[in-house]
Amino acid sequence: MDRRAFNGRALVAAAALLLGVGVVTSPAPAFAAPASAAPPVKLLAFGDSLTAGYGLPEAQGFTSQLQRALTAKGYAVTVINAGVSGDTTAGGLARLDWALADQPNAALVGLGGNDMLRGLDPGAAKTNLDAILTRLGERKIPVLLLGMLASPSLGRTYTEPFNALYPDLAARHNLPLYPFFLDGVATDRALIQADGLHPNAQGVAVIVERMLPAVTNLLDSLPKAGG
């Protein structure tokens, strides 16, 4: 083989190798970094044993099932379980500032069931809830009020003022109202735990399914990031 031809081919090969290495090691073109995703919305579930998931494993409780349902619908949201079993409206008012330390973007407020079960004054429950809603309003935290209905066994003199307090407060504070937390569950023994009061996992699933449109409406009403 002609030495000059060989040397020419060697030079071409070497150049190609150098070019190849150059392609691999050359800096990548600079592209603008994508904007970071907005942090999840914080939804405070502020209530009593119904919110806390009394008698159920954590994954089957109200806030966990609601979290999964919202995620399945594409909502970037963290549901904060701020339920305390046995809590009354007075207890909720006393711990509200502590619950707000998480700086929620919106809140579900579901208290009053224990006031009713203990036969506490509906007027006092209304005053306590009014104070809770006022404080949330001052913080500009949108609220979905979760209502409760009194047992008919308590008689009309109790049930009428108690049942009226949630619609009255929703109107006073211009809030959306979900009229009855236990809607579709309270009278179905198959959906209630052995204590006769609290929903089982299937009951919670029914509650979440029925409440979900009201919750998504609340989330949809929030200001959009950058808006």
Side-chain angles (χ1 to χ4, degrees):
M1 178 180 293
D2 184 278
R3 183 180 296 276
R4 287 174 298 176
F6 176 81
N7 288 341
R9 291 177 184 175
L11 289 171
V12 170
L17 179 61
L18 289 171
L19 288 172
V21 171
V23 169
V24 172
T25 59
S26 63
F31 294 104
S36 58
V41 169
K42 294 179 183 178
L43 177 62
L44 182 73
F46 188 67
D48 49 33
S49 56
L50 297 176
T51 304
Y54 176 86
L56 296 172
E58 181 180 353
Q60 296 179 5
F62 172 73
T63 54
S64 294
Q65 291 205 42
L66 180 59
Q67 173 82 65
R68 291 196 295 272
L70 289 169
T71 300
K73 283 193 167 290
Y75 287 87
V77 59
T78 298
V79 182
I80 301 169
N81 189 343
V84 173
S85 295
D87 216 0
T88 61
T89 56
L93 178 58
R95 65 182 175 89
L96 179 59
D97 287 340
W98 172 81
L100 293 178
D102 285 314
Q103 298 184 327
N105 305 103
L108 311 177
V109 175
L111 287 163
N114 288 309
D115 296 65
M116 179 267 295
L117 291 173
R118 299 177 189 182
L120 302 180
D121 178 16
K126 187 174 184 178
T127 297
N128 293 330
L129 281 170
D130 183 59
I132 290 170
L133 298 174
T134 297
R135 199 170 300 174
L136 290 169
E138 291 169 349
R139 300 277 190 106
K140 301 189 184 308
I141 298 173
V143 171
L144 172 62
L145 182 60
L146 308 179
M148 182 54 59
L149 296 176
S151 170
S153 65
L154 294 171
R156 290 180 59 183
T157 57
Y158 189 92
T159 59
E160 289 183 358
F162 183 89
N163 293 346
L165 72 88
Y166 295 96
D168 288 351
L169 288 170
R172 179 182 301 177
H173 292 272
N174 193 27
L175 300 174
L177 170 67
Y178 186 76
F180 184 34
F181 195 115
L182 293 169
D183 182 44
V185 173
T187 58
D188 189 339
R189 290 292 304 167
L191 300 177
I192 299 292
Q193 296 180 42
D195 63 8
L197 294 173
H198 297 93
N200 56 28
Q202 293 74 26
V204 172
V206 171
I207 291 168
V208 168
E209 180 182 13
R210 291 186 175 223
M211 192 184 295
L212 194 60
V215 176
T216 57
N217 284 343
L218 176 69
L219 297 176
D220 291 341
S221 74
L222 299 179
K224 300 297 184 287

